[in-house]
Amino acid sequence: MNQEYSVAKFGGTSVADHGAMSRCAQIIADNNNVRVVVVSASAGVTNHLVALCQSALTPQQRQAHIDGVIAIQLNILEYVSLDADLAHGFDVTLSAFRSSAEQAPQSSAHSDELLSFGERFSSYLFTQVLREHGVAATRFDVRSVLKTDSQFGKAQPNIKATAQQAHAQLLPLLKDQVVVTQGFMGSDDYGDTTTLGRGGSDYSAALLAEAIGANSVYIWTDVVGIFSTDPRVCAKAAPIAHLSFDEAAEMATFGAKVLHPATILPAARSGISVFVGSSREPQGGGTWIQKTPQGDTLAGVRAVTQRKNQILLTLKSPEMLLASGFLARVFTILSEHKISVDLVTTSEISVALTLDNAPNASRPELDQQALERLSEFCHVSVENNLTLVALIGSEIVLRQSELNLMQVLSEFDIRLICHGASKHNLCFLVEQSQSDAVVQTIHQRLLEG
Ligand code: ADP
Ligand code: ASP
Ligand code: MG
Protein backbone atom coordinates (compact mmCIF):
# COMPACT_ATOMS: atom_id res chain seq x y z
CA MET A 1 0.00 0.00 0.00
CA ASN A 2 1.26 3.49 -0.84
CA GLN A 3 0.48 4.79 2.62
CA GLU A 4 1.34 8.29 1.58
CA TYR A 5 -1.10 8.52 -1.36
CA SER A 6 -4.71 9.70 -1.23
CA VAL A 7 -7.36 10.15 -3.89
CA ALA A 8 -9.74 13.13 -3.87
CA LYS A 9 -13.04 13.30 -5.74
CA PHE A 10 -14.95 16.49 -6.47
CA GLY A 11 -18.64 16.20 -7.30
CA GLY A 12 -20.74 18.24 -9.71
CA THR A 13 -21.46 21.23 -7.47
CA SER A 14 -17.80 21.33 -6.38
CA VAL A 15 -16.74 21.86 -10.01
CA ALA A 16 -19.84 23.78 -11.10
CA ASP A 17 -18.04 27.03 -11.95
CA HIS A 18 -14.67 28.72 -11.69
CA GLY A 19 -15.18 29.87 -8.07
CA ALA A 20 -16.07 26.34 -6.95
CA MET A 21 -13.11 24.86 -8.88
CA SER A 22 -10.75 27.36 -7.24
CA ARG A 23 -11.86 26.29 -3.76
CA CYS A 24 -11.20 22.67 -4.70
CA ALA A 25 -7.79 23.52 -6.16
CA GLN A 26 -6.84 25.13 -2.85
CA ILE A 27 -7.81 21.92 -1.02
CA ILE A 28 -5.38 19.99 -3.25
CA ALA A 29 -2.65 22.60 -2.93
CA ASP A 30 -2.95 22.25 0.87
CA ASN A 31 -2.63 18.44 0.93
CA ASN A 32 0.48 16.97 -0.57
CA ASN A 33 -0.69 13.40 -0.18
CA VAL A 34 -3.48 13.71 -2.71
CA ARG A 35 -1.97 12.50 -5.98
CA VAL A 36 -5.05 11.51 -7.94
CA VAL A 37 -8.00 13.86 -8.40
CA VAL A 38 -11.24 12.48 -9.81
CA VAL A 39 -13.69 15.02 -11.17
CA SER A 40 -17.38 14.79 -11.96
CA ALA A 41 -19.07 16.69 -14.74
CA SER A 42 -19.98 20.25 -13.72
CA ALA A 43 -23.43 20.39 -12.08
CA GLY A 44 -26.25 20.06 -14.61
CA VAL A 45 -24.12 18.73 -17.46
CA THR A 46 -24.91 15.02 -17.06
CA ASN A 47 -28.64 15.75 -16.94
CA HIS A 48 -28.31 17.50 -20.33
CA LEU A 49 -26.35 14.51 -21.64
CA VAL A 50 -28.96 12.03 -20.38
CA ALA A 51 -31.61 14.11 -22.18
CA LEU A 52 -29.52 14.06 -25.37
CA CYS A 53 -29.57 10.26 -25.28
CA GLN A 54 -33.34 10.28 -25.83
CA SER A 55 -34.64 9.93 -29.35
CA ALA A 56 -37.90 11.87 -28.79
CA LEU A 57 -36.37 15.35 -28.96
CA THR A 58 -37.21 18.05 -31.48
CA PRO A 59 -34.15 19.54 -33.22
CA GLN A 60 -34.70 22.69 -31.11
CA GLN A 61 -34.75 20.72 -27.87
CA ARG A 62 -31.62 18.85 -28.92
CA GLN A 63 -29.86 22.09 -29.71
CA ALA A 64 -30.92 23.60 -26.37
CA HIS A 65 -29.29 20.72 -24.46
CA ILE A 66 -26.12 20.95 -26.58
CA ASP A 67 -25.98 24.71 -25.92
CA GLY A 68 -26.61 24.07 -22.21
CA VAL A 69 -23.57 21.78 -21.95
CA ILE A 70 -21.33 24.15 -23.88
CA ALA A 71 -22.48 27.25 -21.96
CA ILE A 72 -21.36 25.69 -18.67
CA GLN A 73 -17.87 25.04 -20.08
CA LEU A 74 -17.58 28.49 -21.67
CA ASN A 75 -18.63 30.14 -18.44
CA ILE A 76 -15.61 28.54 -16.72
CA LEU A 77 -13.35 29.35 -19.66
CA GLU A 78 -14.08 33.05 -19.16
CA TYR A 79 -11.89 32.88 -16.08
CA VAL A 80 -9.09 30.52 -17.15
CA SER A 81 -6.97 30.29 -20.20
CA LEU A 82 -5.89 26.79 -21.10
CA ASP A 83 -2.22 25.92 -21.68
CA ALA A 84 -1.51 24.69 -25.20
CA ASP A 85 -1.56 20.97 -24.29
CA LEU A 86 -4.95 21.28 -22.59
CA ALA A 87 -6.42 23.70 -25.16
CA HIS A 88 -5.77 21.30 -28.00
CA GLY A 89 -7.38 18.35 -26.18
CA PHE A 90 -10.32 20.48 -25.09
CA ASP A 91 -11.01 21.67 -28.66
CA VAL A 92 -10.85 18.14 -30.04
CA THR A 93 -13.24 16.99 -27.29
CA LEU A 94 -15.63 19.86 -28.00
CA SER A 95 -15.91 18.97 -31.68
CA ALA A 96 -16.30 15.28 -30.85
CA PHE A 97 -19.13 16.25 -28.49
CA ARG A 98 -20.89 18.36 -31.13
CA SER A 99 -20.90 15.54 -33.64
CA SER A 100 -21.78 12.86 -31.09
CA ALA A 101 -24.77 14.89 -29.82
CA GLU A 102 -26.16 15.84 -33.24
CA GLN A 103 -28.44 12.81 -33.34
CA ALA A 104 -29.84 10.44 -30.75
CA PRO A 105 -27.39 7.59 -30.09
CA GLN A 106 -28.29 4.41 -31.97
CA SER A 107 -26.76 2.03 -29.43
CA SER A 108 -26.06 1.86 -25.72
CA ALA A 109 -22.35 2.11 -26.55
CA HIS A 110 -22.99 5.45 -28.26
CA SER A 111 -25.07 6.61 -25.30
CA ASP A 112 -22.18 5.94 -22.93
CA GLU A 113 -19.79 7.76 -25.23
CA LEU A 114 -22.11 10.78 -25.16
CA LEU A 115 -22.62 10.58 -21.37
CA SER A 116 -18.87 10.70 -20.81
CA PHE A 117 -18.30 14.20 -22.21
CA GLY A 118 -19.15 16.04 -18.98
CA GLU A 119 -16.27 14.50 -17.04
CA ARG A 120 -13.96 14.82 -20.03
CA PHE A 121 -14.58 18.58 -20.21
CA SER A 122 -14.30 19.26 -16.50
CA SER A 123 -11.01 17.38 -16.23
CA TYR A 124 -9.36 19.76 -18.75
CA LEU A 125 -10.67 22.81 -16.94
CA PHE A 126 -9.82 21.61 -13.44
CA THR A 127 -6.24 20.68 -14.47
CA GLN A 128 -5.72 24.27 -15.56
CA VAL A 129 -7.24 25.70 -12.37
CA LEU A 130 -4.89 23.48 -10.33
CA ARG A 131 -1.89 24.74 -12.32
CA GLU A 132 -2.98 28.28 -11.52
CA HIS A 133 -2.81 27.33 -7.86
CA GLY A 134 0.82 26.27 -8.29
CA VAL A 135 0.14 22.52 -8.44
CA ALA A 136 2.04 20.47 -11.04
CA ALA A 137 -1.03 18.86 -12.57
CA THR A 138 -1.51 16.66 -15.57
CA ARG A 139 -4.73 15.42 -17.16
CA PHE A 140 -5.09 11.71 -17.64
CA ASP A 141 -7.72 9.77 -19.60
CA VAL A 142 -9.14 7.28 -17.11
CA ARG A 143 -10.33 4.99 -19.90
CA SER A 144 -6.83 3.60 -20.36
CA VAL A 145 -6.81 2.41 -16.73
CA LEU A 146 -10.35 1.83 -15.47
CA LYS A 147 -11.29 -1.32 -17.35
CA THR A 148 -14.86 -2.62 -17.27
CA ASP A 149 -17.17 -5.14 -18.87
CA SER A 150 -19.48 -4.02 -21.69
CA GLN A 151 -22.64 -3.47 -19.62
CA PHE A 152 -23.18 0.04 -20.93
CA GLY A 153 -24.88 2.36 -18.45
CA LYS A 154 -23.97 0.17 -15.49
CA ALA A 155 -20.55 -1.23 -16.29
CA GLN A 156 -18.80 -3.48 -13.81
CA PRO A 157 -15.10 -2.86 -13.21
CA ASN A 158 -12.42 -5.43 -13.88
CA ILE A 159 -10.45 -5.01 -10.66
CA LYS A 160 -7.39 -6.96 -11.74
CA ALA A 161 -6.98 -5.29 -15.14
CA THR A 162 -7.53 -1.87 -13.54
CA ALA A 163 -4.80 -2.52 -10.96
CA GLN A 164 -2.41 -3.72 -13.69
CA GLN A 165 -3.00 -0.64 -15.83
CA ALA A 166 -2.77 1.67 -12.84
CA HIS A 167 0.60 0.22 -11.90
CA ALA A 168 1.91 0.50 -15.44
CA GLN A 169 0.51 3.90 -16.38
CA LEU A 170 -0.61 5.86 -13.35
CA LEU A 171 1.83 5.15 -10.53
CA PRO A 172 4.93 6.36 -12.44
CA LEU A 173 3.24 9.75 -12.94
CA LEU A 174 2.42 10.27 -9.27
CA LYS A 175 5.95 10.77 -7.97
CA ASP A 176 6.06 14.40 -8.95
CA GLN A 177 2.64 15.26 -10.32
CA VAL A 178 -1.00 15.38 -9.40
CA VAL A 179 -3.07 13.46 -11.92
CA VAL A 180 -6.53 14.81 -12.74
CA THR A 181 -8.85 12.23 -14.21
CA GLN A 182 -12.52 11.57 -14.93
CA GLY A 183 -15.01 9.88 -12.67
CA PHE A 184 -18.04 7.88 -13.88
CA MET A 185 -16.42 6.35 -16.97
CA GLY A 186 -14.12 3.57 -18.08
CA SER A 187 -13.60 1.43 -21.15
CA ASP A 188 -14.31 -2.15 -22.10
CA ASP A 189 -12.11 -4.77 -23.79
CA TYR A 190 -12.87 -3.29 -27.21
CA GLY A 191 -11.84 0.21 -26.15
CA ASP A 192 -15.44 1.47 -26.13
CA THR A 193 -16.34 4.04 -23.47
CA THR A 194 -18.51 2.72 -20.63
CA THR A 195 -20.19 4.42 -17.67
CA LEU A 196 -20.75 3.16 -14.13
CA GLY A 197 -24.26 4.58 -13.51
CA ARG A 198 -25.43 7.94 -12.18
CA GLY A 199 -23.36 9.27 -9.31
CA GLY A 200 -20.59 6.83 -10.25
CA SER A 201 -17.64 9.18 -9.75
CA ASP A 202 -17.50 8.27 -6.05
CA TYR A 203 -17.10 4.65 -7.11
CA SER A 204 -14.39 5.60 -9.62
CA ALA A 205 -12.43 7.36 -6.87
CA ALA A 206 -12.57 4.32 -4.59
CA LEU A 207 -11.61 1.97 -7.46
CA LEU A 208 -8.62 4.11 -8.40
CA ALA A 209 -7.56 4.38 -4.75
CA GLU A 210 -7.60 0.60 -4.56
CA ALA A 211 -5.71 0.28 -7.85
CA ILE A 212 -2.85 2.57 -6.74
CA GLY A 213 -2.81 1.26 -3.16
CA ALA A 214 -3.86 4.57 -1.59
CA ASN A 215 -4.85 4.62 2.06
CA SER A 216 -7.66 7.18 1.89
CA VAL A 217 -10.26 8.71 -0.40
CA TYR A 218 -11.68 12.17 0.11
CA ILE A 219 -15.18 12.65 -1.30
CA TRP A 220 -15.64 16.42 -1.51
CA THR A 221 -19.26 17.41 -2.02
CA ASP A 222 -21.73 20.11 -0.92
CA VAL A 223 -22.46 18.88 2.64
CA VAL A 224 -20.16 18.59 5.66
CA GLY A 225 -20.41 14.82 5.83
CA ILE A 226 -23.03 12.11 5.93
CA PHE A 227 -26.02 13.22 7.97
CA SER A 228 -28.57 11.34 10.04
CA THR A 229 -30.90 12.00 7.12
CA ASP A 230 -30.83 14.15 3.99
CA PRO A 231 -30.34 17.70 5.35
CA ARG A 232 -32.50 18.99 2.50
CA VAL A 233 -35.45 17.03 3.83
CA CYS A 234 -34.94 17.54 7.54
CA ALA A 235 -33.43 20.74 8.91
CA LYS A 236 -32.47 19.03 12.17
CA ALA A 237 -30.40 16.33 10.48
CA ALA A 238 -26.93 16.17 12.05
CA PRO A 239 -23.61 15.09 10.57
CA ILE A 240 -22.26 11.73 11.76
CA ALA A 241 -18.54 11.87 12.57
CA HIS A 242 -17.78 8.14 12.26
CA LEU A 243 -19.46 5.33 10.39
CA SER A 244 -18.50 1.73 9.78
CA PHE A 245 -18.19 0.43 6.21
CA ASP A 246 -21.39 -1.58 6.75
CA GLU A 247 -23.41 1.36 7.97
CA ALA A 248 -22.19 3.65 5.19
CA ALA A 249 -22.82 1.01 2.54
CA GLU A 250 -26.38 0.49 3.79
CA MET A 251 -27.04 4.23 3.85
CA ALA A 252 -25.77 4.64 0.31
CA THR A 253 -27.69 1.62 -0.95
CA PHE A 254 -30.92 2.82 0.56
CA GLY A 255 -30.83 6.35 -0.78
CA ALA A 256 -28.24 8.60 0.89
CA LYS A 257 -27.32 10.13 -2.46
CA VAL A 258 -24.19 11.66 -0.95
CA LEU A 259 -22.31 8.43 -1.76
CA HIS A 260 -22.68 6.05 -4.71
CA PRO A 261 -23.70 2.67 -3.26
CA ALA A 262 -20.72 0.76 -4.69
CA THR A 263 -18.10 3.16 -3.28
CA ILE A 264 -17.66 1.20 -0.08
CA LEU A 265 -16.91 -2.10 -1.87
CA PRO A 266 -13.31 -1.34 -2.84
CA ALA A 267 -12.78 0.64 0.35
CA ALA A 268 -13.88 -2.22 2.59
CA ARG A 269 -12.06 -4.82 0.47
CA SER A 270 -8.78 -2.95 0.67
CA GLY A 271 -9.13 -1.19 4.03
CA ILE A 272 -9.20 2.33 2.56
CA SER A 273 -10.63 5.06 4.79
CA VAL A 274 -13.25 7.27 3.15
CA PHE A 275 -13.82 10.88 4.18
CA VAL A 276 -16.91 12.84 3.13
CA GLY A 277 -16.81 16.61 3.51
CA SER A 278 -17.80 19.89 1.92
CA SER A 279 -15.52 21.60 -0.59
CA ARG A 280 -17.16 24.88 0.45
CA GLU A 281 -16.10 24.33 4.04
CA PRO A 282 -13.02 22.09 4.01
CA GLN A 283 -12.38 22.94 7.66
CA GLY A 284 -16.00 22.24 8.59
CA GLY A 285 -15.42 18.61 9.53
CA GLY A 286 -17.01 15.60 7.89
CA THR A 287 -17.60 11.88 8.17
CA TRP A 288 -14.84 9.26 8.37
CA ILE A 289 -15.89 5.82 7.18
CA GLN A 290 -13.58 3.10 8.42
CA LYS A 291 -13.48 -0.59 9.17
CA THR A 292 -13.33 0.06 12.88
CA PRO A 293 -14.72 3.52 13.32
CA GLN A 294 -13.26 5.64 16.08
CA GLY A 295 -15.36 7.22 18.74
CA ASP A 296 -18.67 5.98 19.98
CA THR A 297 -20.59 3.85 17.57
CA LEU A 298 -24.05 3.53 18.90
CA ALA A 299 -26.25 0.52 18.68
CA GLY A 300 -29.75 1.07 17.31
CA VAL A 301 -30.97 3.43 14.63
CA ARG A 302 -28.36 5.99 13.54
CA ALA A 303 -29.86 7.31 10.32
CA VAL A 304 -32.95 7.23 8.13
CA THR A 305 -32.77 7.31 4.34
CA GLN A 306 -35.24 7.27 1.51
CA ARG A 307 -35.16 6.17 -2.10
CA LYS A 308 -37.98 7.59 -4.18
CA ASN A 309 -39.32 6.27 -7.50
CA GLN A 310 -39.53 2.64 -6.53
CA ILE A 311 -41.48 0.06 -8.49
CA LEU A 312 -43.14 -2.73 -6.54
CA LEU A 313 -43.43 -5.84 -8.66
CA THR A 314 -45.71 -8.55 -7.31
CA LEU A 315 -45.51 -11.90 -9.05
CA LYS A 316 -47.97 -14.64 -8.31
CA SER A 317 -47.81 -18.18 -9.52
CA PRO A 318 -51.30 -19.21 -10.73
CA GLU A 319 -50.93 -22.80 -9.58
CA MET A 320 -49.87 -23.49 -6.07
CA LEU A 321 -48.98 -27.04 -6.98
CA LEU A 322 -46.65 -25.88 -9.71
CA ALA A 323 -44.95 -23.43 -7.43
CA SER A 324 -41.77 -25.37 -6.88
CA GLY A 325 -38.92 -23.69 -8.71
CA PHE A 326 -41.02 -20.55 -9.08
CA LEU A 327 -38.58 -18.24 -7.31
CA ALA A 328 -35.66 -19.72 -9.23
CA ARG A 329 -37.42 -18.97 -12.55
CA VAL A 330 -38.23 -15.42 -11.50
CA PHE A 331 -34.70 -14.63 -10.38
CA THR A 332 -33.13 -16.26 -13.44
CA ILE A 333 -35.09 -13.90 -15.69
CA LEU A 334 -34.25 -10.89 -13.55
CA SER A 335 -30.60 -11.81 -13.62
CA GLU A 336 -30.59 -12.40 -17.39
CA HIS A 337 -31.99 -8.89 -17.83
CA LYS A 338 -29.45 -7.53 -15.33
CA ILE A 339 -32.27 -6.19 -13.17
CA SER A 340 -31.15 -5.39 -9.69
CA VAL A 341 -33.63 -6.01 -6.90
CA ASP A 342 -33.57 -4.26 -3.52
CA LEU A 343 -36.26 -5.59 -1.20
CA VAL A 344 -37.86 -9.01 -1.46
CA THR A 345 -40.66 -10.64 0.48
CA THR A 346 -42.12 -13.99 -0.38
CA SER A 347 -45.02 -16.26 0.41
CA GLU A 348 -45.35 -19.78 -0.94
CA ILE A 349 -46.84 -18.76 -4.27
CA SER A 350 -45.93 -15.13 -4.63
CA VAL A 351 -43.01 -12.80 -4.41
CA ALA A 352 -42.95 -9.02 -4.06
CA LEU A 353 -39.83 -7.09 -4.94
CA THR A 354 -38.71 -3.52 -5.43
CA LEU A 355 -36.77 -2.00 -8.30
CA ASP A 356 -35.49 1.48 -9.01
CA ASN A 357 -37.25 3.70 -11.51
CA ALA A 358 -35.13 6.82 -11.10
CA PRO A 359 -35.76 9.73 -13.45
CA ASN A 360 -32.60 10.69 -15.34
CA ALA A 361 -31.16 7.21 -14.86
CA SER A 362 -28.75 6.45 -17.64
CA ARG A 363 -30.33 2.97 -17.97
CA PRO A 364 -33.91 1.89 -17.06
CA GLU A 365 -34.07 -0.91 -14.47
CA LEU A 366 -37.23 -2.67 -15.68
CA ASP A 367 -37.65 -3.40 -19.36
CA GLN A 368 -40.70 -4.53 -21.29
CA GLN A 369 -39.06 -7.73 -22.47
CA ALA A 370 -38.42 -8.89 -18.91
CA LEU A 371 -42.06 -8.18 -18.00
CA GLU A 372 -43.28 -10.22 -20.97
CA ARG A 373 -41.11 -13.19 -20.00
CA LEU A 374 -42.38 -13.06 -16.41
CA SER A 375 -46.00 -12.83 -17.59
CA GLU A 376 -45.62 -16.16 -19.40
CA PHE A 377 -45.79 -18.07 -16.11
CA CYS A 378 -47.14 -15.72 -13.44
CA HIS A 379 -49.55 -12.87 -12.76
CA VAL A 380 -47.57 -9.67 -12.73
CA SER A 381 -48.66 -6.50 -11.02
CA VAL A 382 -46.64 -3.29 -11.14
CA GLU A 383 -47.13 -0.45 -8.65
CA ASN A 384 -45.38 2.89 -9.03
CA ASN A 385 -44.83 6.06 -7.01
CA LEU A 386 -43.50 4.36 -3.92
CA THR A 387 -40.59 5.29 -1.68
CA LEU A 388 -38.32 2.90 0.13
CA VAL A 389 -37.60 4.23 3.62
CA ALA A 390 -34.73 2.60 5.53
CA LEU A 391 -33.70 2.82 9.15
CA ILE A 392 -29.95 2.25 9.31
CA GLY A 393 -27.77 1.37 12.25
CA SER A 394 -25.48 -1.24 13.66
CA GLU A 395 -27.74 -3.41 15.83
CA ILE A 396 -31.34 -2.94 14.77
CA VAL A 397 -33.27 -5.68 16.50
CA LEU A 398 -36.94 -5.69 17.36
CA ARG A 399 -36.62 -6.19 21.08
CA GLN A 400 -38.32 -4.42 23.93
CA SER A 401 -36.07 -1.41 23.47
CA GLU A 402 -37.30 -1.01 19.90
CA LEU A 403 -40.97 -0.94 20.86
CA ASN A 404 -40.78 2.77 20.40
CA LEU A 405 -39.76 2.06 16.82
CA MET A 406 -42.75 -0.22 16.23
CA GLN A 407 -45.05 2.40 17.66
CA VAL A 408 -43.70 5.01 15.26
CA LEU A 409 -44.04 2.68 12.29
CA SER A 410 -47.61 1.80 13.17
CA GLU A 411 -48.61 5.38 12.40
CA PHE A 412 -47.84 5.01 8.70
CA ASP A 413 -49.50 3.28 5.86
CA ILE A 414 -46.78 0.73 5.17
CA ARG A 415 -47.05 -1.22 1.93
CA LEU A 416 -44.26 -3.75 2.56
CA ILE A 417 -41.68 -4.25 5.28
CA CYS A 418 -38.34 -6.08 5.33
CA HIS A 419 -36.13 -6.84 8.27
CA GLY A 420 -33.95 -9.69 9.36
CA ALA A 421 -31.46 -10.33 6.57
CA SER A 422 -29.16 -7.74 8.11
CA LYS A 423 -28.97 -6.13 11.52
CA HIS A 424 -28.02 -2.92 9.79
CA ASN A 425 -31.38 -2.00 8.34
CA LEU A 426 -35.13 -2.13 8.58
CA CYS A 427 -36.84 -1.12 5.34
CA PHE A 428 -40.38 -0.41 4.27
CA LEU A 429 -42.34 1.08 1.39
CA VAL A 430 -44.68 4.06 1.64
CA GLU A 431 -46.54 6.25 -0.86
CA GLN A 432 -44.08 8.67 -2.39
CA SER A 433 -46.30 11.66 -1.66
CA GLN A 434 -45.97 10.93 2.09
CA SER A 435 -42.36 9.91 2.29
CA ASP A 436 -40.74 13.26 3.23
CA ALA A 437 -43.21 13.55 6.10
CA VAL A 438 -42.53 9.95 7.16
CA VAL A 439 -38.78 10.59 7.20
CA GLN A 440 -39.23 13.82 9.17
CA THR A 441 -41.41 12.10 11.77
CA ILE A 442 -39.06 9.15 12.16
CA HIS A 443 -36.09 11.48 12.45
CA GLN A 444 -37.82 13.55 15.07
CA ARG A 445 -38.97 10.56 17.15
CA LEU A 446 -35.91 8.36 16.93
CA LEU A 447 -32.94 10.58 16.19
CA GLU A 448 -33.48 14.01 17.71
CA GLY A 449 -32.65 14.62 21.35
P1 ADP B 1 -21.97 15.38 -5.65
O1 ADP B 1 -22.42 16.14 -6.85
O2 ADP B 1 -20.89 16.07 -4.88
O3 ADP B 1 -21.65 13.95 -5.95
P2 ADP B 1 -24.57 14.62 -4.64
O4 ADP B 1 -25.65 15.57 -5.02
O5 ADP B 1 -24.46 13.36 -5.41
O6 ADP B 1 -23.20 15.41 -4.64
O7 ADP B 1 -24.70 14.25 -3.09
C1 ADP B 1 -24.78 15.27 -2.12
C2 ADP B 1 -26.23 15.43 -1.70
O8 ADP B 1 -26.68 14.22 -1.10
C3 ADP B 1 -26.45 16.47 -0.62
O9 ADP B 1 -26.61 17.76 -1.16
C4 ADP B 1 -27.71 15.98 0.09
O10 ADP B 1 -28.86 16.68 -0.27
C5 ADP B 1 -27.86 14.54 -0.39
N1 ADP B 1 -28.02 13.59 0.72
C6 ADP B 1 -28.96 12.63 0.78
N2 ADP B 1 -28.90 11.96 1.92
C7 ADP B 1 -27.88 12.48 2.63
C8 ADP B 1 -27.32 12.21 3.91
N3 ADP B 1 -27.79 11.23 4.70
N4 ADP B 1 -26.27 12.96 4.33
C9 ADP B 1 -25.79 13.94 3.55
N5 ADP B 1 -26.29 14.25 2.33
C10 ADP B 1 -27.31 13.54 1.87
N1 ASP C 1 -21.63 13.09 -13.67
C1 ASP C 1 -22.23 11.82 -13.28
C2 ASP C 1 -23.65 12.05 -12.76
O1 ASP C 1 -24.11 13.18 -12.68
C3 ASP C 1 -21.39 11.07 -12.31
C4 ASP C 1 -21.17 11.76 -10.97
O2 ASP C 1 -21.33 12.97 -10.87
O3 ASP C 1 -20.79 11.07 -10.02
O4 ASP C 1 -24.32 11.10 -12.49
MG1 MG D 1 -22.87 12.24 -6.20
Side-chain angles (χ1 to χ4, degrees):
M1 191 179 262
N2 290 297
Q3 289 295 343
E4 70 272 30
Y5 288 161
S6 298
V7 173
K9 174 256 171 178
F10 295 105
T13 46
S14 299
V15 293
D17 53 36
H18 183 259
M21 282 193 176
S22 297
R23 285 192 293 273
C24 298
Q26 195 54 49
I27 292 174
I28 300 305
D30 289 343
N31 184 348
N32 231 352
N33 292 341
V34 175
R35 288 311 168 88
V36 175
V37 175
V38 173
V39 287
S40 285
S42 302
V45 169
T46 310
N47 282 351
H48 282 302
L49 297 172
V50 168
L52 283 166
C53 289
Q54 298 163 14
S55 44
L57 290 183
T58 64
Q60 290 77 5
Q61 286 169 327
R62 183 159 290 283
Q63 194 55 48
H65 287 297
I66 295 174
D67 293 345
V69 170
I70 295 175
I72 293 169
Q73 319 309 320
L74 294 184
N75 175 37
I76 299 170
L77 276 171
E78 273 184 32
Y79 301 90
V80 278
S81 110
L82 297 179
D83 292 343
D85 58 327
L86 297 171
H88 174 71
F90 184 89
D91 290 345
V92 170
T93 307
L94 190 58
S95 4
F97 166 63
R98 285 187 203 277
S99 54
S100 176
E102 234 165 56
Q103 281 178 357
Q106 297 302 306
S107 68
S108 50
H110 283 155
S111 293
D112 269 14
E113 176 72 21
L114 184 50
L115 289 171
S116 73
F117 279 100
E119 274 71 10
R120 288 156 68 184
F121 287 136
S122 59
S123 58
Y124 284 108
L125 301 170
F126 191 66
T127 305
Q128 187 66 49
V129 177
L130 267 182
R131 288 181 186 173
E132 289 176 359
H133 280 72
V135 177
T138 186
R139 180 191 182 270
F140 185 88
D141 193 319
V142 81
R143 289 172 291 186
S144 63
V145 164
L146 209 154
K147 306 311 286 182
T148 72
D149 65 10
S150 302
Q151 235 189 103
F152 298 102
K154 202 182 183 182
Q156 300 298 317
N158 178 334
I159 310 297
K160 208 165 146 200
T162 300
Q164 275 165 356
Q165 294 306 324
H167 278 252
Q169 300 183 49
L170 208 47
L171 275 178
L173 300 175
L174 305 184
K175 283 196 193 79
D176 42 23
Q177 286 171 98
V178 170
V179 164
V180 177
T181 196
Q182 308 79 28
F184 180 53
M185 56 195 274
S187 76
D188 69 5
D189 286 348
Y190 308 96
D192 285 331
T193 302
T194 55
T195 63
L196 307 177
R198 294 301 310 264
S201 298
D202 304 324
Y203 190 24
S204 303
L207 288 167
L208 291 174
E210 180 176 48
I212 63 162
N215 67 351
S216 50
V217 180
Y218 292 85
I219 305 287
W220 292 108
T221 179
D222 59 0
V223 279
V224 287
I226 301 186
F227 282 59
S228 48
T229 197
D230 187 343
R232 287 190 208 176
V233 173
C234 189
K236 290 203 172 152
I240 304 174
H242 299 281
L243 281 172
S244 67
F245 285 134
D246 285 336
E247 290 167 331
E250 300 265 348
M251 285 188 73
T253 303
F254 291 120
K257 181 181 174 241
V258 61
L259 215 53
H260 184 277
T263 314
I264 299 299
L265 289 174
R269 198 163 51 213
S270 301
I272 301 165
S273 304
V274 179
F275 176 82
V276 179
S278 166
S279 64
R280 275 189 173 274
E281 276 184 81
Q283 308 304 331
T287 302
W288 274 107
I289 307 164
Q290 281 153 325
K291 188 171 179 204
T292 342
Q294 293 158 18
D296 293 336
T297 47
L298 306 169
V301 178
R302 300 190 73 200
V304 50
T305 60
Q306 61 171 325
R307 234 164 100 169
K308 295 190 174 174
N309 302 299
Q310 298 297 294
I311 299 176
L312 178 65
L313 204 59
T314 308
L315 308 169
K316 215 172 201 171
S317 166
E319 276 294 339
M320 195 164 170
L321 288 174
L322 297 181
S324 93
F326 171 63
L327 284 183
R329 273 179 93 179
V330 167
F331 282 96
T332 303
I333 291 175
L334 295 174
S335 133
E336 283 170 4
H337 287 264
K338 308 250 186 272
I339 293 174
S340 118
V341 171
D342 297 306
L343 303 186
V344 185
T345 60
T346 60
S347 73
E348 197 178 0
I349 56 156
S350 62
V351 54
L353 35 92
T354 65
L355 316 169
D356 241 10
N357 186 26
N360 287 326
S362 43
R363 168 188 180 277
E365 203 53 68
L366 183 60
D367 61 55
Q368 197 52 37
Q369 235 191 344
L371 274 181
E372 280 163 19
R373 286 185 66 195
L374 291 165
S375 304
E376 284 168 15
F377 67 99
C378 54
H379 298 301
V380 180
S381 95
V382 181
E383 291 169 58
N384 285 293
N385 300 322
L386 294 163
T387 297
L388 190 169
V389 177
L391 308 183
I392 311 288
S394 43
E395 282 287 323
I396 300 181
V397 278
L398 296 176
R399 287 188 310 249
Q400 190 71 21
S401 53
E402 267 77 26
L403 280 181
N404 186 19
L405 172 69
M406 293 314 281
Q407 214 166 30
V408 175
L409 296 186
S410 68
E411 292 168 26
F412 308 122
D413 210 357
I414 291 178
R415 179 66 189 81
L416 172 152
I417 187 159
C418 272
H419 175 62
S422 146
K423 280 187 181 174
H424 295 291
N425 70 59
L426 183 151
C427 301
F428 54 93
L429 285 184
V430 294
E431 281 292 328
Q432 188 154 303
S433 56
Q434 293 177 7
S435 70
D436 282 357
V438 169
V439 166
Q440 286 154 359
T441 311
I442 289 183
H443 193 272
Q444 193 213 345
R445 302 279 183 83
L446 298 179
L447 291 157
E448 288 168 29

